[in-house]
Amino acid sequence: EKSGKKTSNQTKSNRNEIIQIGSELKNRIFRTYLKSIFILVTISVATNLLAYDFNVENADGVTIYYNILNESDKTCEVTAKEMRTVYSTGDNFDDYVGDVVIPSIVNGYRVTQIGRFAFACCGGLTSVTIPYSVTNIANNAFYCCQNLSSLNFPESIKTIGNHAVYKCPNLTSLVIPSSVTSIGEWTFMECTGLISITSYITNVFKTGGFAFNGCTKATLYVPQGLAESYRSTSDWSRIKAIEEIPNVFSIALACNDMGKVQVNDNTAFTNDLGQVRAFDGVDNTIVFTPNEGCSLEQVIIDGVDVTKSVVDNQLITRFNQHSKMFVMFSTGGVEGDINHDDSVDISDVVMLVNMILGN
């Protein structure tokens, strides 16, 4: 009997020991799990904070941040310095301030997209010049840029995403090129300062919901013969004042990186080779804006040097449908040094000819 009690007590003791070991093992597994979660969260947070693959400082001192989109195609997008998990209309970030001029090629990568939240809530941002290489403006790219007053969409943009230019009250004019085939929801909503919206789209399509909600002061200018199409298509129809503009066509323009060219106040163009819109049969106003420390050196239209016709960095002229314009700014170095290698040789001639021909 005593032996039986002893055996029973031993069994209970063993059972309790097993339970205790199991409990400790369970606690260890749980602690290991929590540790793993902590590591994963830490990596995730670090990943969120490092929103870019590389950054490059422009000649004007502005640093731009980039993500690589496709290594084999050598394409990249403009992104933010930091990617936040939450954005609200009251935020004010300093990733970008002042005037930002985006190059078409950087570190061997072609810039093809303005990424999600790239300039979102950058309260000190005043203007952005987008190169001809960009085809897509992603969702929320310019979300709530309170002081953004100048934004160009080149004749290469195909899609403008949801909330892309949402609540930018200091924008007074906007040009939507004919290349655009898609506009998302709430894209230009609450851009209450817009007075002029010019659309060169001829194949009028339905935009995302509330795309122009709150643009109550704006007049929409559209190609000849298409006013009724815009009036009957949402969300264009939300804009009550719709007027037709003269016929337009595209001309070839080449410009170096020491200044900016604007054609009819609606196309900013710099450091690129591409197409810009011009009016048919009427005068076109071209404004040249050299960078600080630079000056306009030469303007050639269809092989003719028209530099002497430029007055106060402004030229009024007419184009034909096959016109080509070459613009060169300089720092006052060696005259004729187009590729800025401090000498004038055959390479400058080749570069000049190719730019004029649009190659």
Side-chain angles (χ1 to χ4, degrees):
E1 186 176 338
K2 288 182 179 179
S3 175
K5 285 185 178 179
K6 187 175 181 180
T7 302
S8 177
N9 289 336
Q10 184 66 40
T11 301
K12 287 181 180 179
S13 176
N14 290 341
R15 187 184 299 125
N16 289 336
E17 188 175 346
I18 291 171
I19 291 172
Q20 185 175 356
I21 292 172
S23 178
E24 287 180 1
L25 183 60
K26 182 180 178 181
N27 288 336
R28 284 182 186 179
I29 293 172
F30 183 67
R31 285 196 297 271
T32 303
Y33 173 76
L34 288 179
K35 196 172 185 180
S36 300
I37 292 296
F38 176 77
I39 292 170
L40 287 172
V41 169
T42 302
I43 292 172
S44 176
V45 169
T47 302
N48 284 338
L49 291 177
L50 299 176
Y52 60 94
D53 291 325
F54 65 93
N55 64 83
V56 175
E57 182 178 329
N58 288 353
D60 57 9
V62 175
T63 297
I64 301 179
Y65 303 89
Y66 302 92
N67 275 332
I68 297 171
L69 294 176
N70 190 306
E71 186 63 52
S72 60
D73 291 344
K74 289 294 182 181
T75 56
C76 68
E77 67 175 4
V78 176
T79 188
K81 182 180 181 180
E82 296 181 14
M83 192 61 68
R84 288 82 181 178
T85 53
V86 178
Y87 291 80
S88 67
T89 55
D91 289 336
N92 187 3
F93 305 130
D94 62 356
D95 296 18
Y96 298 101
V97 296
D99 302 332
V100 176
V101 179
I102 303 170
S104 58
I105 297 177
V106 58
N107 284 8
Y109 293 90
R110 190 159 181 81
V111 183
T112 60
Q113 177 169 285
I114 309 299
R116 293 177 63 251
F117 295 102
F119 296 93
C121 300
C122 289
L125 182 70
T126 53
S127 76
V128 178
T129 302
I130 301 173
Y132 189 78
S133 57
V134 171
T135 59
N136 180 43
I137 310 295
N139 295 348
N140 304 286
F142 298 96
Y143 173 86
C144 204
C145 293
Q146 295 287 340
N147 291 300
L148 180 64
S149 58
S150 176
L151 176 65
N152 80 296
F153 292 139
E155 195 75 46
S156 57
I157 300 296
K158 291 180 173 58
T159 59
I160 307 176
N162 301 337
H163 303 88
V165 197
Y166 173 84
K167 208 174 182 70
C168 297
N170 269 341
L171 275 179
T172 57
S173 64
L174 191 68
V175 176
I176 303 172
S178 59
S179 55
V180 172
T181 58
S182 174
I183 295 175
E185 298 177 347
W186 297 25
T187 301
F188 304 106
M189 183 174 176
E190 295 302 322
C191 290
T192 52
L194 278 175
I195 297 172
S196 169
I197 302 173
T198 303
S199 172
Y200 291 104
I201 296 170
T202 55
N203 186 17
V204 185
F205 56 84
K206 182 179 179 180
T207 71
F210 301 97
F212 297 99
N213 189 53
C215 303
T216 55
K217 300 177 184 177
T219 297
L220 176 61
Y221 298 94
V222 302
Q224 287 187 355
L226 292 177
E228 286 306 315
S229 294
Y230 278 88
R231 290 190 184 105
S232 60
T233 306
S234 64
D235 197 55
W236 306 99
S237 57
R238 188 179 294 275
I239 303 172
K240 300 307 177 186
I242 299 179
E243 299 180 12
E244 296 182 354
I245 56 177
N247 287 330
V248 296
F249 52 78
S250 294
I251 65 169
L253 169 61
C255 172
N256 64 359
D257 61 355
M258 295 186 180
K260 183 168 63 175
V261 181
Q262 287 182 285
V263 179
N264 299 320
D265 295 328
N266 59 36
T267 302
F269 200 92
T270 185
N271 190 29
D272 213 341
L273 180 66
Q275 303 288 316
V276 293
R277 292 174 299 275
F279 293 137
D280 184 16
V282 297
D283 287 341
N284 292 266
T285 301
I286 308 165
V287 177
F288 307 95
T289 308
N291 293 345
E292 186 176 353
C294 301
S295 61
L296 179 66
E297 180 171 320
Q298 194 170 37
V299 180
I300 296 175
I301 298 177
D302 298 330
V304 179
D305 191 332
V306 296
T307 311
K308 292 183 179 180
S309 299
V310 178
V311 179
D312 294 329
N313 284 330
Q314 181 172 298
L315 174 67
I316 298 176
T317 189
R318 295 192 178 195
F319 296 104
N320 63 61
Q321 294 190 21
H322 303 287
S323 287
K324 297 178 177 67
M325 179 165 62
F326 164 73
V327 179
M328 185 171 70
F329 299 94
S330 73
T331 56
V334 180
E335 185 176 357
D337 178 22
I338 296 173
N339 59 7
H340 311 300
D341 61 357
D342 295 323
S343 65
V344 179
D345 51 31
I346 189 64
S347 65
D348 296 290
V349 177
V350 171
M351 189 173 185
L352 175 61
V353 171
N354 281 331
M355 293 182 82
I356 293 173
L357 295 176
N359 296 331

